[in-house]
Amino acid sequence: MILTRRNLLKSGAAMGGALALPRFAIGQTKRPSITIAVQQVSNSASLEPLREQSNVGTRIFATIYDRLINQDLPRSLDTVPGLAESWERIDHRTVELNLRQGVKFHNGDELTADDVVFSFGAERMFGEGYVADSNATLFTNVLVRDNVKGKELPAEVVAVAKRNWPSIERVESVSKYKVRFVNKTPDVTMEGRMARMGSEIVSQRGFSEAESWLEWSRKPVGTGPYMVEEFIPDQKLVLRAHDEYWGGRPPVEKITMLVVPEVASRVNGLYSGEFDFICDMPPDQIDGIESHAAFEVQGGLIPNHRLTVFDKHHPQLVDPRIRRAMTHAIDRQLIVDSIWSGRTRVPAGLQWEFYGPMFIEGWTVPEYDVEKARQLVKDAGYKGDPIPYRLLNNYYTNQVATGQILVEMWRQAGLNVEIQMKENWQQIFDQSTQRGVRDWSNSAPFNDPISSIVNQHGPNGQQQQAGEWSNEEMNKLSGMMEVETDMARRKAQFKRMLEICEREDPAYTVLHQNATFTGKRKDIQWKAAPSFAMDFRQGNFAI
Amino acid sequence: MIRFILSRGLRAVVTIFLVVTFAFIVLRLSGDPAMQILSVDAPPEAIAAFRNEWGLNQPIWQQFLDYLLNVLHGNFGDSMREGRPAMDIVLEHVGATLMITLPALALKIVIGIPAGIYAALHRNSLADRMTMMISVAGFTVPSFVLALVLVLIFSVHLGWLPSTGNATWKHAILPIVTLGTAGAAILARFTRSAMLEVLGQSYIRAASAKGLIWRQVVTGHALPNAAIPTVTIVGFMIGSLIAGAVVVESVFSWPGIGYLLISAVANRDLAIVQSILLLIALCMVCANLVVDLLYGWIDPRVRLRSAH
């Protein structure tokens, strides 16, 4: 280019303009906006993870919030630094975390230790006057505002927080960028709990400025790559790029999630070009979508296993040999291959690889062996009395088809299991008539067996609370494991729990790992996470 | 006349009370809202806290009495999911529903009634048979099937119209056509049979015999007498304006009352379902009342019978 006075002036003006722009806007190209059709955005009409404890909630929270310790989406569920760039175990009760500096909330505020303390405080999590199971709890750094009218936490939020953090003593600010978590009892799962749903960090000012808890929960202020622009329950959620996101400029300008309850409508919308992604696709739709050259189906395994659960108080199921026979009579791989098109798998019992050192290598679900099942039935002296199987109409994907297959498999082993269709969970748990078998699914919210086998089948878990099953040794082990810090002993305890719950005195039997499928435009480069969470951060989206 | 209105009004109040009572009891017997809203995997403590917070652990008669007293004071309860007054949420959705049901009603009337009249006046002709064939197809094909077929043609293959949502006026076209088609078919059949019955009456022959031209016979004698059954059906359609689009709203994700009702039933959001049913009952009762009054206006014989 020839240097003329005019060119020089133009260059000067351009440089001046560039300097006036915010840093993130320099050299940025226009980004695409996308539309995602989902079955539901939020079951509880709230975007607060402590209220919306659901799979659909999991899908959106990674876009709005960060945790101190994140999961390594979209690659795995391993824990990686999030808002804390490093952390250190002071002792078995204490963890100190160094916060990432320069992190901005959606409202422009910088993240400090005060926000973390607030996020785990009474005002947001535990409610006023919270007292833990024993001793006084010291939330010394929480500023309890006088004008909390309209900010009272829903009771279930407090209950979820207490379940997530049963023994937390205090969270305190050490310095502007350092926080300390202190538990009342030794707990090796503290880091895992920080990475679980419900431990999202929110802006203290954002919470304080909201008129009410409800308003806050509809437009929360986090640090995630996208901020909430509009949320209309049961209709849509609009997210806008948070350009100051610490993890890099988000690659999508606007994400619109539309609630489209009908599967056929979601598929048609993908074909017609109205949607770029469609979620919650049943496996039987995969071939149809992939028969179109322009579309593909992504996704797969999520940290959630489908189970058959036993009520050991049923006259036929009191004898563990009958329950064991049921576990051996199931050809799980056949279920996976036939009604899941081979797109999921039979896992190694109620555990996941992201447990890391706590994963029990070599453990499997009971082997498929009809002869063994028949022998167990014979040994138990079973006379063919019916065993009720309470079934919901496809609350879980393929639930009815799976139930019908199971009944036929159990029949092969000589068991007379009768399906009773029910409308809701209340009828499933109803104790006015004899219960026998039911369906369930178990997740692992964090990377330790405490999060699944203890929380679901231990003394405070749903199965025992519902009066279906209990085992003295299992309950003793649960209590021991919660405070055990020696990893070898913890692992041995976990293995023993699996032996009790899945072999000796079956509480449940794992059928298969669950999977979720997302249809999408093939020209969009995007990878589904091994979770319900959808990741639209830099590096995982391009057209 | 006052006696007539009072008796109909009393009947309306009883009808509404029965609807409200039935809805209240059935909803509470058919599932626990805590497990629906918080999910079955929510901690037992959270479910217990929720049930306590919303009074679900009280005896059902106690809950019903509280509800009735509140309704009498104009308080229809709060949505368990949204934490806002249920009736506010319901009324927010009425506009969206009327946006498709009112044009659909107009479509039904504009197409259905003339088609029925034309078919009756040309009985057994090719036009009559064609009209009736289309009419039978129109009301026998379930609305969700018709909706999906329209989406496949106009959204997927032709790409002319959007298939879901309510962002623009174009989004309303397919829902309106879906709703209008079935209604027009029903109206055409009823109008045709009403007209045929009237055209066979002796006063029609008398009118023709005294030298009136056929058009005068039809407009002056046949149509007014055939209007009563047609008005009944139109009245029913007006009563259904609020709730008549449940399936169509679901297929097209149109955020109206039907869409809200499905979501509220699925989530056992009791106050919302009860408020919607109350509103539907009110609409039906009012529409029936108007139809009853219209009978008297259209047919003097009804007025005379009432007077006696």
Side-chain angles (χ1 to χ4, degrees), chain A residues 133-155:
Chain A
D133 296 336
S134 60
N135 300 328
T137 307
L138 302 171
F139 285 98
T140 49
N141 292 333
V142 174
L143 293 170
V144 180
R145 300 178 313 122
D146 292 327
N147 57 336
V148 291
K149 198 174 178 186
K151 291 282 183 66
E152 294 88 353
L153 299 175

Side-chain angles (χ1 to χ4, degrees), chain B residues 13-257:
Chain B
V13 169
V14 172
T15 306
I16 290 171
F17 176 78
L18 289 175
V19 167
V20 165
T21 307
F22 181 76
F24 189 94
I25 292 170
V26 167
L27 279 171
R28 270 152 185 83
L29 294 180
S30 65
D32 182 0
M35 278 193 179
Q36 294 296 129
I37 293 172
L38 300 182
S39 100
V40 67
D41 296 321
E45 306 92 303
I47 288 175
F50 185 93
R51 301 190 84 245
N52 186 49
E53 191 174 334
W54 290 96
L56 296 168
N57 44 9
Q58 290 180 344
I60 196 164
W61 61 265
Q62 178 75 54
Q63 293 181 46
F64 184 58
L65 275 183
D66 290 346
Y67 174 68
L68 278 186
L69 283 174
N70 284 329
V71 167
L72 289 175
H73 286 91
N75 177 3
F76 298 92
D78 286 349
S79 158
M80 290 179 185
R81 289 179 72 225
E82 301 209 27
R84 299 196 290 138
M87 195 51 94
D88 288 1
I89 296 168
V90 170
L91 293 176
E92 284 167 14
H93 287 72
V94 168
T97 292
L98 292 178
M99 206 180 287
I100 54 172
T101 52
L102 278 176
L105 178 67
L107 199 67
K108 293 169 195 174
I109 293 171
V110 167
I111 295 176
I113 293 177
I117 294 169
Y118 184 83
L121 295 178
H122 298 80
R123 190 182 184 185
N124 291 332
S125 68
L126 181 65
D128 177 29
R129 289 180 197 284
M130 289 295 289
T131 307
M132 284 306 103
M133 195 180 76
I134 294 168
S135 166
V136 168
F139 80 80
T140 51
V141 174
S143 55
F144 71 89
V145 172
L146 179 63
L148 289 175
V149 169
L150 291 174
V151 166
L152 277 175
I153 296 171
F154 294 101
S155 301
V156 176
H157 290 294
L158 299 173
W160 291 351
L161 293 169
S163 65
T164 52
N166 67 335
T168 67
W169 63 269
K170 283 185 177 177
H171 286 80
I173 293 176
L174 291 182
I176 290 170
V177 172
T178 308
L179 284 171
T181 303
I186 291 167
L187 263 185
R189 286 189 66 79
F190 268 91
T191 307
R192 177 181 179 272
S193 56
M195 278 294 284
L196 286 177
E197 192 182 330
V198 168
L199 289 172
Q201 297 294 322
S202 51
Y203 56 81
I204 296 293
R205 282 198 301 276
S208 297
K210 73 181 180 185
L212 290 178
I213 59 170
W214 184 233
R215 186 196 288 173
Q216 286 173 319
V217 173
V218 170
T219 53
H221 295 272
L223 283 181
N225 283 294
I228 285 191
T230 310
V231 163
T232 308
I233 298 298
V234 172
F236 179 75
M237 288 173 172
I238 291 171
S240 308
L241 281 176
I242 298 292
V246 174
V247 174
V248 170
E249 285 182 4
S250 182
V251 172
F252 290 104
S253 302
W254 186 269
I257 288 289

Side-chain angles (χ1 to χ4, degrees), chain A residues 80-98:
Chain A
V80 291
L83 295 179
E85 57 186 3
S86 64
W87 54 92
E88 182 188 5
R89 270 272 167 181
I90 305 301
D91 56 39
H92 291 313
R93 296 172 47 232
T94 312
V95 182
E96 276 189 4
L97 302 101
N98 297 306

Side-chain angles (χ1 to χ4, degrees), chain A residues 118-130:
Chain A
F118 172 81
S119 297
F120 288 89
E123 204 174 349
R124 189 245 174 166
M125 266 197 189
F126 298 101
E128 303 302 329
Y130 170 62

Side-chain angles (χ1 to χ4, degrees), chain A residues 267-286:
Chain A
V267 173
N268 285 332
L270 180 72
Y271 293 160
S272 67
E274 287 168 79
F275 308 137
D276 304 290
F277 289 82
I278 53 172
C279 298
D280 312 308
M281 300 313 302
D284 60 5
Q285 294 289 324
I286 294 174

